[in-house]
């Protein structure tokens, strides 16, 4: 038998240990899926960063004022992220802007022969393409019109002779006169640092048959959702089999938040995927990877503190109003009157009041009095000795040899005999005595009937009702309404401290 229990206990521990590792594995898998969802959701807004890996610590513009720190962007990464993920979003290079940059690269290669016909032709082509870029706005397809405006502003700031015209600025910039006068290498360095990254960020993204931009993220998300769906069906089935009275559907509703992990969504519903943070957080907590108890306590404390004042006052005042109204309607009088109309129903032919009284008396006589006998005798002895010693003539008698000792002996004997006599009489009274029981029941009945009769007197009942109503009103004014003056946060702190003391004591 002991061996069987030991095997059962070991098996239970093994299953629990494996279960926690399974929960942790699924929780981390759900967390990985949520990270992928977040990456996909933010990929388009952050594509410039993933493409170039550059960023400013501070970068903002307010009207004509613009501030960037540091002056040159920091290189955070040089990973080919866009090369890997652009196909998922259907992103392709924009032909117009890419061709523009190719022309610039060709011009850089021919820079050594600055006055050659090839350079003159390339500069003329760049001027035409710049004008066409401003007129046709190839950035609009990628929803990056703001980038084009940024390019135009930078070029106007660079070429001050353009009279605030972007087309004229590009025309002057890509001219042999301007480049020879301002050092072609320096101007190309400006273009490559400030203009080229903005043009490189442009792209083309086709529109699907559903009228929305092309997106193949569902192919990446499908293995995750398939696994979560299978796990949800298996887990809910296991719960329904393990717990009595719980159907498979009930178990599914029990784990309703897991549905968010595999719920199919249309393109315009894709933000729903962000709600997967709910099951992910719950799973991480259940797997003991994170602890939500502190957050839960803080949230519940703020909520309780916010409503405790109003809720407590409303509930207490409501209860007192009900009692007050019941007294005013005469319900108290009706209860007393019904005692005569409806006789008391005895369910077990036992006078519970008499029996309770007898049990209490027996407990006191048989258990309590013997236990405190010595203490009572000592107390009585001290009291009598003190009274005798304070008597006027005792000090003279005390001078006689043997009087003090005799007095002490007599006191002890008298107290012991008196206690024994009283205890014996009380013990006889609590023994089975039908006549004593009848007298006790008669006393209780007469006392109760006399009290009820006196209370039912019109003057007495009206006075009693008036006093009860007035008392409740004073309680509401003096105590209930003072609840609004209590510091609910302090009360919550006291409650938490008491809970901690209880937990420590129970450990």
């Amino acid at each position: 038998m002991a061996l069987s229990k030991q095997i059962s206990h070991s098996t239970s521990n093994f299953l629990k240990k494996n279960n926690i590792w399974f929960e942790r594995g699924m929780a981390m898998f759900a967390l990985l899926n949520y990270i992928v969802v977040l990456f996909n959701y933010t990929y388009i807004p952050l594509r410039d960063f993933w493409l170039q890996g550059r960023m400013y610590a501070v970068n903002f513009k307010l009207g004509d004022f613009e501030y960037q720190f540091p002056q040159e962007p920091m290189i955070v990464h040089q990973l080919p992220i866009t090369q890997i993920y652009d196909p998922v979003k259907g992103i392709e290079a924009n032909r117009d802007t890419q061709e523009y940059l190719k022309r610039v690269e060709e011009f850089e290669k021919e820079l050594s022969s600055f006055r050659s016909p090839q350079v003159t032709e390339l500069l003329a082509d760049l001027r035409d393409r710049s004008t066409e870029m401003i007129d046709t706005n190839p950035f609009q397809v990628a929803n990056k019109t703001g980038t084009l405006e940024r390019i135009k502003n930078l070029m106007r700031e660079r070429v001050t002779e353009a009279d605030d015209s972007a087309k004229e600025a590009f025309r002057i910039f890509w001219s042999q006169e301007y480049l020879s006068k301002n050092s072609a290498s320096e101007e190309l360095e400006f273009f490559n640092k400030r203009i080229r990254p903005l043009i490189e960020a442009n792209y083309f993204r086709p529109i699907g048959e559903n009228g929305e931009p092309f997106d193949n993220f569902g192919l990446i998300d499908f293995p995750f959702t398939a696994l979560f769906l299978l796990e949800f069906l298996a887990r809910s089935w296991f719960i329904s089999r393990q717990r009595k009275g719980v159907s498979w559907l009930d178990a599914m509703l029990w784990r309703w938040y897991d549905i968010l992990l595999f719920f199919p969504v249309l393109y315009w519903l894709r933000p729903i995927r962000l709600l997967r943070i709910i099951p992910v957080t719950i799973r991480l907590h259940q797997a003991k990877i994170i602890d939500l108890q502190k957050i839960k306590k803080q949230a519940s404390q703020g909520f309780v503190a916010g409503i405790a004042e109003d809720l407590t006052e409303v509930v207490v005042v409501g209860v007192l109003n009900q009692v007050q109204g019941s007294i005013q309607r005469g319900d108290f009088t009706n209860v007393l009157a019904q005692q005569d109309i409806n006789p008391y129903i005895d369910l077990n032919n036992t006078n519970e009041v008499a029996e309770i009284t007898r049990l209490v008396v027996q407990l006191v006589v048989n258990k309590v009095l013997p236990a405190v006998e010595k203490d009572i005798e000592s107390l009585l002895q001290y009291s009598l000795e003190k009274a005798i010693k304070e008597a006027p003539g005792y000090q003279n008698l005390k001078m006689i040899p043997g009087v003090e000792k005799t007095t002490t002996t007599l006191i002890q004997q008298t107290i012991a005999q008196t206690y024994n006599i009283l205890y014996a009489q009380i013990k006889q009274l609590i023994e089975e005595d039908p006549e004593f029981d009848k007298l006790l029941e008669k006393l209780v009945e007469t006392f109760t009937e006399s009290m009820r009769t006196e209370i039912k007197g019109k003057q007495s009942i009206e006075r009693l009702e008036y006093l009860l109503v007035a008392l409740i009103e004073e309680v509401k004014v003096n105590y209930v309404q003072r609840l609004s003056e209590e510091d609910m946060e302090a009360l919550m702190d006291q409650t938490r401290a008491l809970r901690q003391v209880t937990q420590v004591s129970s450990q």
Side-chain angles (χ1 to χ4, degrees):
M1 188 68 178
L3 180 61
S4 176
K5 287 184 178 179
Q6 185 177 0
I7 294 174
S8 177
H9 182 69
S10 300
T11 304
S12 177
N13 289 338
F14 177 77
L15 292 176
K16 288 181 178 179
K17 185 176 181 180
N18 286 343
N19 182 62
I20 190 64
W21 282 112
F22 172 77
E23 293 291 345
R24 288 178 178 176
M26 292 303 300
M28 296 306 296
F29 197 71
L31 178 61
L32 174 63
N33 174 245
Y34 192 70
I35 292 174
V36 173
V37 168
L38 280 179
F39 175 80
N40 176 75
Y41 192 75
T42 60
Y43 180 75
I44 296 299
L46 297 179
R47 184 180 178 275
D48 292 357
F49 170 74
W50 297 124
L51 174 67
Q52 299 164 356
R54 310 186 316 161
M55 63 175 294
Y56 292 94
V58 180
N59 183 17
F60 69 91
K61 183 176 183 180
L62 182 61
D64 295 333
F65 176 76
E66 182 177 4
Y67 180 75
Q68 291 178 336
F69 178 81
Q71 293 298 321
E72 296 297 330
M74 301 179 294
I75 304 299
V76 178
H77 76 87
Q78 293 180 335
L79 302 175
I81 295 176
T82 55
Q83 297 179 20
I84 298 172
Y85 208 77
D86 273 358
V88 177
K89 292 295 186 179
I91 293 177
E92 305 172 2
N94 187 284
R95 296 176 184 176
D96 296 332
T97 53
Q98 286 299 311
E99 190 65 28
Y100 187 96
L101 294 177
K102 285 182 181 180
R103 291 297 184 182
V104 175
E105 292 173 0
E106 292 175 6
F107 170 69
E108 287 182 291
K109 292 177 181 179
E110 299 291 337
L111 193 59
S112 58
S113 55
F114 188 69
R115 297 294 179 178
S116 66
Q118 292 85 355
V119 170
T120 302
E121 183 180 349
L122 285 172
L123 289 175
D125 186 47
L126 285 171
R127 289 193 295 269
D128 293 339
R129 288 182 180 277
S130 298
T131 302
E132 182 182 0
M133 181 174 65
I134 294 174
D135 290 336
T136 60
N137 187 10
F139 295 83
Q140 186 174 7
V141 177
N143 196 25
K144 297 176 74 68
T145 301
T147 301
L148 177 59
E149 292 299 320
R150 175 68 176 161
I151 294 172
K152 290 158 63 176
N153 290 334
L154 288 173
M155 191 58 71
R156 280 193 292 259
E157 292 174 2
R158 185 70 176 183
V159 183
T160 57
E161 302 95 329
D163 296 330
D164 203 29
S165 171
K167 292 181 181 180
E168 183 66 15
F170 272 104
R171 189 190 67 79
I172 295 174
F173 185 86
W174 295 121
S175 65
Q176 288 179 324
E177 295 79 11
Y178 178 83
L179 292 174
S180 60
K181 182 178 65 174
N182 295 281
S183 176
S185 59
E186 291 183 3
E187 295 303 313
L188 284 174
E189 183 181 1
F190 158 77
F191 181 88
N192 289 328
K193 283 187 176 181
R194 305 298 299 276
I195 306 298
R196 177 183 287 274
L198 299 175
I199 297 178
E200 285 180 342
N202 190 33
Y203 59 85
F204 173 76
R205 189 181 183 191
I207 302 298
E209 294 181 357
N210 60 354
E212 301 292 345
F214 184 85
D215 194 343
N216 269 333
F217 177 71
L219 297 178
I220 298 176
D221 196 43
F222 177 75
F224 291 97
T225 57
L227 177 63
F228 291 132
L229 174 60
L230 293 175
E231 188 230 8
F232 175 76
L233 295 175
R235 186 189 291 269
S236 56
W237 179 83
F238 180 76
I239 292 175
S240 66
R241 300 285 294 177
Q242 189 180 33
R243 300 181 181 275
K244 296 181 179 180
V246 178
S247 66
W248 197 359
L249 178 59
D250 293 335
M252 290 181 181
L253 296 176
W254 193 338
R255 301 279 301 191
W256 64 268
Y257 48 85
D258 281 342
I259 298 176
L260 296 171
L261 292 172
F262 56 83
F263 184 77
V265 295
L266 301 175
Y267 183 86
W268 55 276
L269 285 176
R270 59 180 182 170
I272 290 181
R273 291 193 181 113
L274 297 178
L275 294 178
R276 294 182 186 180
I277 187 62
I278 298 174
V280 169
T281 304
I282 294 175
R283 283 170 175 263
L284 291 174
H285 174 68
Q286 292 174 343
K288 299 181 180 179
I289 298 176
I290 62 175
D291 187 5
L292 296 179
Q293 291 299 325
K294 294 182 179 179
I295 300 176
K296 179 181 177 182
K297 288 180 180 179
Q298 292 297 326
S300 61
Q301 177 175 341
F303 176 75
V304 171
I307 68 170
E309 177 183 330
D310 295 335
L311 182 61
T312 304
E313 189 169 340
V314 168
V315 171
V316 175
V317 171
V319 172
L320 293 178
N321 285 340
Q322 290 291 327
V323 175
Q324 199 173 31
S326 178
I327 295 173
Q328 291 174 337
R329 288 191 300 269
D331 293 346
F332 184 68
T333 306
N334 294 335
V335 171
L336 294 176
Q338 292 296 322
Q339 295 292 334
D340 296 333
I341 300 174
N342 300 322
Y344 183 78
I345 299 175
D346 193 348
L347 299 177
N348 53 9
N349 296 322
T350 302
N351 190 328
E352 286 79 5
V353 176
E355 286 299 319
I356 292 173
T357 304
R358 178 182 293 280
L359 288 175
V360 173
V361 173
Q362 287 179 347
L363 180 64
V364 172
V365 173
N366 294 330
K367 301 295 183 180
V368 177
L369 290 181
V372 300
E373 178 180 356
K374 297 297 182 182
D375 296 329
I376 293 177
E377 289 180 354
S378 299
L379 180 62
L380 293 176
Q381 180 180 344
Y382 172 77
S383 300
L384 287 175
E385 287 180 350
K386 183 178 180 180
I388 293 174
K389 290 178 181 179
E390 292 178 354
Y394 178 75
Q395 296 299 328
N396 297 328
L397 293 175
K398 185 179 178 181
M399 303 301 295
I400 302 175
V403 170
E404 184 175 4
K405 184 177 181 180
T406 303
T407 303
T408 302
T409 303
L410 290 174
I411 291 174
Q412 291 176 349
Q413 293 177 354
T414 302
I415 291 175
Q417 292 177 2
T418 304
Y419 185 87
N420 291 333
I421 293 172
L422 291 175
Y423 181 75
Q425 293 298 321
I426 294 174
K427 197 168 184 179
Q428 289 180 0
L429 289 176
I430 65 172
E431 293 178 354
E432 292 293 336
D433 188 348
E435 186 65 24
F436 177 80
D437 293 341
K438 290 181 180 179
L439 293 175
L440 180 59
E441 291 180 9
K442 182 63 175 176
L443 173 62
V444 173
E445 182 179 349
T446 303
F447 178 82
T448 304
E449 183 63 28
S450 176
M451 181 65 70
R452 186 187 303 123
T453 301
E454 292 299 325
I455 292 177
K456 285 170 58 179
K458 183 174 180 58
Q459 184 175 1
S460 298
I461 195 66
E462 290 179 353
R463 181 63 177 170
L464 183 59
E465 288 179 348
Y466 168 77
L467 292 175
L468 287 174
V469 171
L471 176 61
I472 294 174
E473 191 65 30
E474 291 178 358
V475 169
K476 289 192 292 185
V477 172
N478 291 282
Y479 297 101
V480 179
Q481 292 183 4
R482 291 181 185 176
L483 290 173
S484 59
E485 301 175 2
E486 290 285 348
D487 186 352
M488 290 301 166
E489 292 291 344
L491 291 178
M492 292 299 298
D493 290 339
Q494 294 176 16
T495 304
R496 186 170 57 254
L498 290 174
R499 189 182 297 114
Q500 292 175 352
V501 170
T502 304
Q503 292 175 352
V504 172
S505 301
S506 61
Q507 291 177 352

